[in-house]
Amino acid sequence: MTSPYRAIFAAPGSRAFSAAGLIGRMPLSMLGIGIVTMISQVTGQYGLAGALSATTALSGAVIGPQVSRLVDRHGQARVLRPAAAVTVLAVAVLLLGVRAGAPHWVFFLGAAGVGATPSLGAMVRARWSVIHRSAPELLHTAYSFESVVDEIVFIVGPILSVGLCTVWFAEAGPLLAAAFLGIGVLLLAAQRGTEPQPHPRTHQGGGSALRAPGMPVLIVVFTGMGAMFGAVEVITLAFADERGHKALASLVLATYALGSCLAGVVFGLAQPRGSARGRFLLGVTLMAVSMIPPLLVGNLVFLAMALFVSGLTIAPTMVTTMSLVERLVPRTRLTEGITWTSTGLAVGVSLGAALAGRVTDAHGASTAFAVPAGAAFLAAAAAGLGYRRLRPAPEREDVHGEYDGEERDAFGALEKHGDVA
């Protein structure tokens, strides 16, 4: 059962860069919630805390893809170290400002600098893509494994960050997140043997990864998915609070991540059938349908069960998305392409959390579950409308054989008549 996972780690250096990616990805789930907890602990101003968290998310949406674009052009080692240094410095400005009681504009200056955080998940997936380029079945397993790692990060990170902020000192969560980033980047950048070859500007061509026809579709879909995730977190906390068990909210959310984690493990063992874009559309549709039961539950036990089932749809959809990005964008823009999906997710999380908070305040948590359900169905609609644009880049078609049935038939007919070399 575990042989596919053993196979992907048979490549030299794979264990080391995947472990470095796990460490460096911890800030993904620790910084935002850590900043909110820190500010609420020190100032008691949740509005300020939310504004700072939104600033970090929007800053990452602007700066993150540009960092990844530089990585594609100059290589991971040359770009990751200075980008991580900027992030660590920005976190230091924020933490020292909070500790010293500095004006709020200092907080926002630090929060804006956090946007330079490099996407370690994209860096690791780019390395897997190089190693298993000629073996799509192993690349599928590698992407599944990294999706499981993402879920582990989101299970452990918030608990660790909030716990440190509340038990030790207010700035402890963001401080540890910055330390994880620095250590993870240094470990990853030192592993030059598995680093993807950089592609200087003169060899890249084609402009940004956004110019790939299917990328805007994926970004819109991921924004909807992010809104679903952000809304579920806020509403679950309020749902538990309304029933007098606020402390249990983290356990309910953990079942959500656990469902995705288990699905990712199983999905990595299976050999996918059909086209990647077909699997993507199916996954997003099932994700939308799975958000209906939370609208109907009345207690935390049933909410945990409903979210566990919903979580089963997440990892397979994420894995398929990474496979789609790997097919849609030129190889010279792969890191940037993967990062753009994360950017859409981050923007969606901020929007979903903000909207869910307003609806919860006005109508209660149970009604507010209409927000993630609506976001999920909008994502499914965008995937359906953009389905035909999710075709592979020309340079990828011969590698992956990613044709639908009618396209493959047309190709074969042309070949039979001598029109295809």
Side-chain angles (χ1 to χ4, degrees):
M1 286 291 289
T2 60
S3 57
Y5 291 103
R6 287 199 301 268
I8 64 172
F9 285 110
S14 56
R15 286 184 174 85
F17 74 68
S18 186
L22 168 60
I23 296 171
R25 257 180 286 185
M26 291 300 294
L28 186 64
S29 65
M30 292 181 65
L31 270 177
I33 190 66
I35 289 172
V36 170
T37 307
M38 172 182 69
I39 296 298
S40 63
Q41 288 275 103
V42 174
T43 69
Q45 300 180 36
Y46 282 92
L48 174 62
L52 287 170
S53 179
T55 299
T56 62
L58 294 177
S59 175
V62 174
I63 302 175
Q66 307 312 316
V67 172
S68 292
R69 193 172 186 179
L70 290 173
V71 167
D72 283 329
R73 186 179 302 165
H74 301 291
Q76 293 187 5
R78 289 185 61 186
V79 177
L80 290 183
R81 293 190 185 100
V86 170
T87 302
V88 171
L89 178 61
V91 172
V93 169
L94 175 59
L95 299 190
L96 291 174
V98 171
R99 174 65 67 170
H104 290 174
W105 67 264
V106 177
F107 301 176
F108 284 96
L109 180 64
V114 172
T117 305
S119 176
L120 270 291
M123 308 302 157
V124 171
R125 286 177 170 92
R127 293 189 182 222
W128 283 122
S129 178
V130 171
I131 290 175
H132 297 307
R133 179 179 301 161
S134 60
E137 68 283 353
L138 292 182
L139 187 58
H140 163 78
T141 302
Y143 284 160
S144 297
F145 177 79
E146 293 304 325
S147 181
V148 171
V149 172
D150 286 337
E151 296 305 332
I152 292 173
V153 165
F154 276 97
I155 290 173
V156 175
I159 296 173
L160 189 59
S161 187
V162 173
L164 287 174
C165 287
T166 54
V167 174
W168 197 8
F169 57 93
E171 300 85 359
L175 180 62
L176 182 60
F180 276 136
L181 176 65
I183 294 171
V185 164
L186 290 176
L187 290 174
L188 186 64
Q191 299 168 46
R192 304 298 295 269
T194 55
E195 181 181 358
Q197 181 182 356
H199 302 275
R201 183 193 296 268
T202 55
H203 297 153
Q204 286 191 333
S208 170
L210 282 177
R211 298 185 64 178
M215 283 304 298
V217 176
L218 292 183
I219 294 171
V220 171
V221 172
F222 261 57
T223 301
M225 289 168 58
M228 181 188 74
F229 297 150
V232 165
E233 289 189 3
V234 171
I235 299 167
T236 299
L237 182 63
F239 188 90
D241 193 19
E242 288 177 357
R243 285 150 183 78
H245 300 288
K246 187 176 182 179
L248 296 179
S250 60
L251 295 179
V252 175
L253 289 172
T255 64
Y256 194 32
L258 179 61
S260 179
C261 187
L262 293 176
V265 172
V266 175
F267 194 62
L269 297 172
Q271 293 303 316
R273 297 179 180 276
S275 67
R277 60 181 183 153
R279 296 195 303 275
F280 174 72
L281 179 58
L282 176 61
V284 177
T285 302
L286 290 176
M287 187 179 295
V289 172
S290 74
M291 289 311 303
I292 295 176
L295 285 165
L296 309 175
V297 299
N299 58 61
L300 286 173
V301 173
F302 285 111
L303 178 60
M305 294 170 61
L307 290 182
F308 176 82
V309 173
S310 180
L312 295 174
T313 67
I314 296 174
T317 306
M318 294 293 191
V319 172
T320 303
T321 303
M322 294 304 105
S323 297
L324 265 179
V325 173
E326 203 265 340
R327 290 162 166 80
L328 288 172
V329 304
R331 192 167 292 116
T332 57
R333 299 291 190 188
L334 180 58
T335 309
E336 181 193 349
I338 294 174
T339 303
W340 272 116
T341 60
S342 300
T343 296
L345 204 65
V347 172
V349 166
S350 298
L351 295 175
L355 180 58
R358 288 181 176 273
V359 176
T360 299
D361 288 340
H363 303 288
S366 294
T367 302
F369 271 114
V371 174
F377 276 98
L378 287 176
L385 292 173
Y387 176 78
R388 293 189 177 278
R389 298 178 65 85
L390 300 176
R391 290 197 176 106
E395 68 174 90
R396 301 306 182 102
E397 291 176 344
D398 59 335
V399 176
H400 295 284
E402 187 63 22
Y403 297 99
D404 289 340
E406 59 187 43
E407 296 168 319
R408 190 180 297 109
D409 292 342
F411 187 90
L414 288 171
E415 188 176 33
K416 183 183 295 184
H417 289 87
D419 294 323
V420 177

